[in-house]
Amino acid sequence: MTSTSSSPAAPAAKSGRNEILYFAFRNTKLVIGAVVFLIFLLGAIFGPMLATHEPLTFDAPPGLPPSADYWFGTTLFGQDVFSQFVHGLRSSFIVGALGGITAAVIGMLVGFFAGYRGGIVDEVLNMLTNVVLVIPTFAVLLVVAAYLSVRGLGTEAMFIGLTSWPWAARAIRAQTFSLTSRDFVGMARLNGESTFRIIFGEIAPNMSSYLVMTFILLFGGAILTAATLDFIGLGPTDSISLGLMMNFSVMNAALQLGMWWWFVPPGLAITAIVGSLYVMNVGLDEVFNPKLRAL
């Protein structure tokens, strides 16, 4: 009896996965966004291995345009721009991943428990969310970053994650409210399942596509916030990043000197990475939502 009742479920699940993959590969937005993102991700992983100079050492002729010896040219102080670029890419992905994961975990915990438990738990967590939501988070980041004499990628990512979760929590809370009244949640309650088991064993799997898209937005938001902090000089003090490259180029009049190779690559990279993530998110929404699928 067990094998007979469970056998139709496996083909159905397999069919569902095949359907999603089918529409995913047919979705132009998702494919283009994923390809662009993958190119920069591979550059962040393997690019530093190709760099022949350290990013912050002054061991090259100053102000050279791109050439066979220096692919992205050199800075006004004799630093290899390609080395800075690939190391900056890695820094951006690290901050985006750590900041996005931190914000996603907090947002999911707050949203799930507020939406499922309701009552006083929901009121307290909703009040906490609203308080963090109305705080001028960028101003807080500016103050905190300005008072830290030594700033690393982990510190930057932590502060970004701790201040960017409220909108995700509110969205997940609303989705959880709609799922709490479903029959499968009621059956889990009747079976005596714990709150933790119901949330992460029943509700979360039914929101998996929504959670993936939420994380993508948090990932892109973390990269953009970090680039903004770095650009105004409040980024890491012990490494290089794309935002810091743009900060150094602006502070040293690269635009006026015609040294476009100093600021164009990091600016394009930030735009392309964040843009690809948002395009991927739109594509995933079309893939997961049958009403939006382009046939």
Side-chain angles (χ1 to χ4, degrees):
M1 293 295 293
T2 303
S3 60
T4 303
S5 61
S6 61
S7 58
K14 184 176 181 181
S15 176
R17 288 194 296 268
N18 291 338
E19 181 184 10
I20 291 176
L21 289 175
Y22 171 78
F23 283 103
F25 284 110
R26 284 172 55 94
N27 189 280
T28 305
K29 300 184 186 71
L30 179 58
V31 171
I32 293 176
V35 169
V36 173
F37 180 80
L38 184 60
I39 289 173
F40 284 99
L41 179 60
L42 292 175
I45 296 173
F46 299 106
M49 302 177 188
L50 303 176
T52 56
H53 300 268
E54 291 297 322
L56 299 177
T57 56
F58 307 92
D59 57 356
L64 291 181
S67 64
D69 295 326
Y70 300 97
W71 296 349
F72 285 12
T74 63
T75 70
L76 191 63
F77 307 104
Q79 297 163 306
D80 183 20
V81 176
F82 175 76
S83 179
Q84 291 191 346
F85 178 75
V86 291
H87 282 86
L89 272 180
R90 179 174 291 183
S91 298
S92 295
F93 277 100
I94 291 174
V95 171
L98 293 178
I101 290 173
T102 301
V105 169
I106 298 175
M108 284 191 293
L109 290 175
V110 173
F112 279 140
F113 281 94
Y116 176 74
R117 295 299 298 271
I120 186 65
V121 174
D122 178 42
E123 292 180 9
V124 171
L125 293 178
N126 197 34
M127 180 181 65
L128 174 64
T129 303
N130 291 333
V131 168
V132 179
L133 197 62
V134 299
I135 292 176
T137 54
F138 192 72
V140 173
L141 289 171
L142 288 176
V143 173
V144 172
Y147 275 92
L148 290 176
S149 57
V150 178
R151 299 184 297 272
L153 295 177
T155 303
E156 185 178 46
M158 181 187 68
F159 281 115
I160 292 173
L162 290 176
T163 55
S164 59
W165 58 267
W167 72 264
R170 297 188 72 171
I172 293 172
R173 170 180 174 268
Q175 292 290 323
T176 305
F177 267 136
S178 66
L179 291 175
T180 301
S181 58
R182 299 288 182 87
D183 292 340
F184 63 88
V185 175
M187 290 297 296
R189 286 172 172 167
L190 291 175
N191 289 335
E193 300 284 356
S194 65
T195 298
F196 189 88
R197 174 68 180 82
I198 293 175
I199 289 176
F200 294 101
E202 302 291 341
I203 296 178
N206 284 276
M207 291 173 55
S208 57
S209 60
Y210 188 82
L211 296 177
V212 169
M213 293 189 292
T214 299
F215 173 72
I216 289 176
L217 292 178
L218 290 171
F219 187 99
I223 290 178
L224 198 57
T225 302
T228 305
L229 287 173
D230 298 347
F231 180 70
I232 60 178
L234 296 175
T237 57
D238 56 356
S239 60
I240 190 68
S241 68
L242 298 178
L244 281 175
M245 287 181 66
M246 297 185 66
N247 171 264
F248 294 153
S249 65
V250 170
M251 293 293 291
N252 292 282
L255 179 62
Q256 290 82 352
L257 294 173
M259 299 175 62
W260 57 267
W261 56 87
W262 196 354
F263 59 85
V264 169
L268 285 178
I270 294 171
T271 304
I273 293 171
V274 176
S276 68
L277 287 169
Y278 282 93
V279 170
M280 284 174 59
N281 198 67
V282 174
L284 284 172
D285 192 21
E286 295 177 355
V287 170
F288 290 131
N289 189 344
K291 296 180 181 179
L292 299 177
R293 289 174 181 170
L295 300 178

